[in-house]
Each structure stands twice: as structure tokens, then as C-alpha cells.
Amino acid sequence: MKLVTLQRESWNEPGVVFDDEAIGLRDAGFHDLLSLIAGGADAMDRVGRWVRSAPARERFDPATVKLRAPIPKPPKIVCIGLNYRDHAEETKMAIPETPTVFSKYNTAVTGHMHPIVLPKNSVKPDYEAEFAVVIGKGGRHIPEARWRDHVFGYTMLNDVSARDFQMATSQWMIGKTFDTFAPMGPAIVTADEIEDPHNLNISLTLNGQTMQNSNTRNLIFDVPKLIAYLSSVFTLEPGDIISTGTPAGVGFARKPPVWLKPGDEVAVEVEGLGRLVNPVVAEA
């Protein structure tokens, strides 16, 4: 099942894309996807019944609806750096022995077909295609063997990065969390639709040219290890996002470097999850 957030006239509404329709879930009792995710199996059963009986006013052509990020304000956005061996090598950094962790504030989140806004005070904005995990059942000290019990689904994230800010300090976060620097979506695909999250093609195109092309089998720290490691430190909550890192091909490692500029279009694709597209504009 593909879950989305629909941008209506004056409000946002959770929805599901089912049988070539986008179906709103507000009248089914869900005000946002966070409440649906927290509701667990009972909530998903209610969604399943609703999509078969929803009235016409809650059924839309997906091509005509505008989407927000599936979770516009995630509780946490946890990002993993240097998690593909080829990316660590292209940056000339050591292969990590433990996950490199940073975060983005939820003010960085934006949705499919919404613009990435390049800040006035950065001259080195870059792209990063990432496969992201959406936590369902929360918990602390989750063993690797129980990881599937805690994954609600998967989505895509573009870890847009201001490299001049990022590399000015040993702490990366300041270059990662400008407004609009976390495009996400277009949907959350529930975990039952992805047989093996560790064998998915992942790519990014910039103005139609392929810049990144890899597979999640190349992750250094896989999803079970990340969930176990992160939950050993802090409680994972329903709706938390774990963005698992980017493969080789980022702009700053190219010769010459390739920076995002106004007028560009960036598209992230992950097998089974769709295509996340964002135009690039300058800050006004």
C-alpha cells in the first residue's frame, strides 16, 4: 500500500494510492499519517476497509492532486553518513566502523514536486539520493533479529547538503538542515510490499543525466544493524525516519564539482518506491 499526504485547499489530508486512485482518509478518522502509523495493525485494517467503501468525494485522480511529504513533520529525521563503501572512498574518508549519525530538523522537509530552495549564503549546494526507513512500532534496545517488527514502510529522501557549511566544521548537521533540504516521498510504501530492502536499485538524475546509480545491497550498515544501534541510544518512535546514506556520484566529489543551481531538476528513484522529483530555485 502506498500512503501519501494530500495537499487540499486549506489543509493536508492523509491518503492512500490504491487501484489508480488517490483516496483521502480524513473521513476514515485519520488526521495525519503519524496517527495512522501509531495505530498499528488495527489502523491499517481500517484503511483496508475504507478504500473499498470511500465515497466519491474522497476519490481523486493521482495525476491531479498535489502532494506534501508523506510525513510533513516527522518526530525525528536520523541520517547515516558514509554508509556506501563507494561513497566513502570517493570522499577520501575512512570506511566507518560504527554508523556516522547526524540529523535534520523537520523544517527541512518538503514534498514531491515542491522546490528545493538554494540558500543565499551557500555556494556549494549538493544532492544525495537516499533510501529511507519509516519506523512503525517504537522501542528501545531493539535486537537485530526483531527489526521487521518495527518497520512500517519505506520512502525516499534527497539529503540536500550545503557542502561549504557542512565541511566548515566536524559536525555536519549545519550544512544538512537548511529549509527544503529534505525532499521526501512521494509516498510511504508499506513494508509488506518490499520483500528485501537490501536489494533495491537506487539512482539520481540531474536534468535527466544519471549522477548516482547503485543498489542497497552495498550498504555498509544494513537496516537491522541501524535499528539496533540507534535504539541502543534513544527511543525510536512511530513515524521516525532513518535515511540510510547515499552512494557514490555526489556533486562535490566530481571533477570538476557539480553544484545545484536554479532551474535544475533532481529526481531520486528507488526500486519499488517510485520517483521523487524536485525543481531547484534560488532563495528570494
Side-chain angles (χ1 to χ4, degrees):
M1 191 172 287
K2 293 181 172 63
L3 295 163
V4 297
T5 291
L6 308 171
Q7 184 171 326
R8 304 291 294 274
E9 291 84 356
S10 58
W11 71 92
N12 297 322
E13 178 177 3
V16 58
V17 177
F18 183 79
D19 281 351
D20 298 322
E21 287 185 306
I23 302 172
L25 298 174
R26 190 180 183 94
D27 287 352
F30 299 105
H31 294 291
D32 54 33
L33 286 190
L34 279 177
S35 61
L36 190 160
I37 292 168
D42 289 343
M44 290 301 294
D45 286 344
R46 194 181 347 155
V47 171
R49 294 192 298 271
W50 175 254
V51 297
R52 290 186 286 272
S53 61
R57 69 176 182 276
E58 288 292 346
R59 297 180 180 273
F60 310 96
D61 178 352
T64 66
V65 295
K66 191 169 185 179
L67 300 178
R68 295 288 305 275
I71 304 176
K73 297 288 183 183
K76 291 189 281 294
I77 306 170
V78 184
C79 301
I80 309 300
L82 301 176
N83 201 24
Y84 285 76
R85 184 174 297 273
D86 58 0
H87 177 53
E89 290 171 348
E90 75 172 350
T91 62
K92 297 179 171 53
M93 296 182 184
I95 304 299
E97 296 183 3
T98 57
T100 300
V101 181
F102 60 94
S103 63
K104 289 177 178 270
Y105 294 126
N106 60 24
T107 47
V109 174
T110 192
H112 173 64
M113 294 305 298
H114 291 256
I116 296 167
V117 180
L118 301 182
K120 298 175 182 178
N121 52 337
S122 172
V123 296
K124 295 182 177 180
D126 204 348
Y127 54 81
E128 293 191 9
E130 304 209 359
F131 168 69
V133 179
V134 183
I135 295 297
K137 178 183 176 183
R140 182 85 195 280
H141 295 297
I142 299 167
E144 287 187 34
R146 301 295 300 273
W147 70 277
R148 288 189 184 274
D149 297 343
H150 296 267
V151 174
F152 177 80
Y154 306 100
T155 191
M156 292 174 284
L157 187 143
N158 188 344
D159 177 19
V160 183
S161 306
R163 301 298 188 189
D164 38 5
F165 276 74
Q166 177 189 352
M167 301 306 182
T169 171
S170 62
Q171 303 297 315
W172 292 354
M173 181 177 171
I174 195 66
K176 297 284 192 172
T177 198
F178 282 87
D179 289 359
T180 75
F181 271 27
M184 190 186 307
I188 296 171
V189 177
T190 51
D192 59 295
E193 292 200 14
I194 303 298
E195 182 178 354
D196 182 5
H198 305 105
N199 188 25
L200 303 173
N201 293 327
I202 178 171
S203 64
L204 180 144
T205 59
L206 178 62
N207 303 323
Q209 180 180 351
T210 298
M211 309 298 281
Q212 295 181 278
N213 188 20
S214 188
N215 189 286
T216 58
R217 73 171 70 94
N218 297 318
L219 288 168
I220 297 170
F221 302 104
D222 62 13
V223 176
K225 284 183 172 61
L226 291 175
I227 287 176
Y229 179 74
L230 296 172
S231 70
S232 75
V233 178
F234 54 84
T235 300
L236 290 173
E237 301 172 291
D240 281 351
I241 306 296
I242 303 173
S243 198
T244 61
T246 199
V250 296
F252 88 92
R254 292 177 173 271
K255 300 185 186 305
V258 175
W259 307 118
L260 295 176
K261 62 185 185 302
D264 283 345
E265 181 181 84
V266 189
V268 177
E269 292 189 62
V270 175
E271 185 177 355
L273 301 186
R275 192 165 184 260
L276 169 65
V277 181
N278 297 96
V280 179
V281 302
E283 185 176 14

